Amino acid sequence: SITGETVELLEPYLDMEDYNLDTAKKVCGNVAGLCSWTKAMAYFYGINKEVLPLKANLALQEGRLAAAQMELNNAQIQLDEKQMELDEVQAMYVTAMKEKQALLDDAEACRRKMNNATALIEGLGGEKLRWTASSKNFQNQIINLVGNVLLATGFLSYSGPFNQEYRNLLLQLWKKEMDNSKIPYSNDLNLTGILVDNATVSEWNLQGLPNDDLSIQNGIIVTKASRYPLLIDPQGQGKIWIKNKEKSNGLQVNS
């Protein structure tokens, strides 16, 4: 309840040199505290005069802060709602992109299959003539199979002791007899091709067997005939070949 007028009335007393607690104690110790209290009240009035506008401004700013905080909370609620909607849309987008990629992958796989199928069909179309010719050739082979086998077995059984020229002569004689007996056979018959494959011949060559027709025929007779062969081998080529061929089978050689 102190006012500015009261403080103005107190100022002459407050400015006196002897208006203090020590002097008051000397004059009247019981009421010396009133001296300090009046000074404190005058000082409080000066401070409170500055604090009151600050308190009023503080209340105003607190009101503004509360209103701003309320707006912020409302905005945060709206932001959370929009964020949830955005998350849902984002999830839908990711799902749609996965479905799109799956469709693209399926389309690409289908395109590759179609290209492969087209290439296969075109390739098969180009093979039609060859397959037709091969079918006719197989039919001829079936017809000539008995005669071809007869010539091959005759070669294995009887041509071993003879040279290349006499072997060819035997084949010609046998063919004449088969013609007389009307036994079909292939005119372009290759006995070596019937009795052994190229891979085996290549392996024999690596083992030391010469690559000429006579040596290959001798190798066929040695490996295919049912009788034990006797090799007349002045150059030692057959000996080298047999040693290499049977080395893995534990062949024992008596000198």
Side-chain angles (χ1 to χ4, degrees):
S1 62
I2 191 171
T3 64
E5 182 180 0
T6 304
V7 174
E8 289 179 359
L9 293 174
L10 283 174
E11 284 182 356
Y13 299 98
L14 296 176
D15 292 337
M16 294 180 180
E17 296 181 355
D18 57 352
Y19 195 82
N20 53 62
L21 179 63
D22 294 335
T23 304
K25 284 182 179 180
K26 292 178 181 180
V27 175
C28 182
N30 293 333
V31 294
L34 292 175
C35 177
S36 297
W37 181 77
T38 55
K39 282 188 172 184
M41 289 300 99
Y43 181 73
F44 167 77
Y45 174 79
I47 298 299
N48 196 41
K49 187 177 180 181
E50 298 178 358
V51 170
L52 286 177
L54 296 178
K55 284 184 177 180
N57 187 47
L58 175 61
L60 177 62
Q61 298 302 328
E62 286 179 345
R64 291 179 178 178
L65 176 62
Q69 187 65 41
M70 184 177 295
E71 292 180 359
L72 176 62
N73 293 336
N74 294 333
Q76 185 65 44
I77 292 173
Q78 294 180 3
L79 177 61
D80 293 339
E81 293 176 353
K82 298 302 180 182
Q83 185 64 43
M84 291 177 62
E85 294 178 0
L86 177 62
D87 293 340
E88 292 177 359
V89 173
Q90 186 68 28
M92 294 172 62
Y93 171 77
V94 172
T95 302
M97 291 302 296
K98 289 182 178 179
E99 293 178 355
K100 176 184 176 182
Q101 189 61 43
L103 292 174
L104 291 175
D105 293 341
D106 291 342
E108 182 62 26
C110 183
R111 188 178 298 108
R112 288 197 301 269
K113 291 179 180 179
M114 290 177 62
N115 292 335
N116 294 335
T118 302
L120 179 60
I121 291 173
E122 292 176 353
L124 294 177
E127 291 291 316
K128 181 178 180 180
L129 296 177
R130 188 180 67 85
W131 287 349
T132 302
S134 297
S135 177
K136 292 181 180 179
N137 186 32
F138 292 151
Q139 187 65 32
N140 292 332
Q141 288 182 7
I142 294 173
I143 295 173
N144 298 329
L145 183 60
V146 175
N148 292 342
V149 171
L150 183 58
L151 290 173
T153 54
F155 171 81
L156 287 175
S157 300
Y158 300 108
S159 62
F162 307 112
N163 58 20
Q164 186 69 58
E165 182 179 359
Y166 199 79
R167 289 178 181 177
N168 292 335
L169 179 60
L170 283 176
L171 285 175
Q172 297 301 324
L173 294 174
W174 291 339
K175 289 180 180 179
K176 288 181 180 180
E177 292 294 332
M178 293 172 67
D179 289 336
N180 294 333
S181 301
K182 297 182 180 181
I183 300 175
Y185 62 90
S186 300
N187 292 323
D188 56 347
L189 177 64
N190 182 2
L191 292 175
T192 301
I194 291 179
L195 296 172
V196 70
D197 56 81
N198 293 331
T200 303
V201 173
S202 299
E203 184 177 359
W204 289 351
N205 296 149
L206 293 175
Q207 292 168 348
L209 184 69
N211 197 29
D212 59 278
D213 291 340
L214 181 62
S215 298
I216 293 174
Q217 289 179 1
N218 290 336
I220 293 173
I221 294 172
V222 169
T223 56
K224 302 293 184 180
S226 60
R227 303 170 185 172
Y228 290 105
L230 174 62
L231 300 185
I232 300 175
D233 186 30
Q235 296 180 352
Q237 295 174 331
K239 179 179 179 181
I240 294 173
W241 169 61
I242 291 177
K243 282 184 177 181
N244 292 331
K245 183 177 183 303
E246 302 297 333
K247 182 178 180 180
S248 59
N249 297 326
L251 177 65
Q252 296 181 3
V253 179
N254 294 327
S255 302

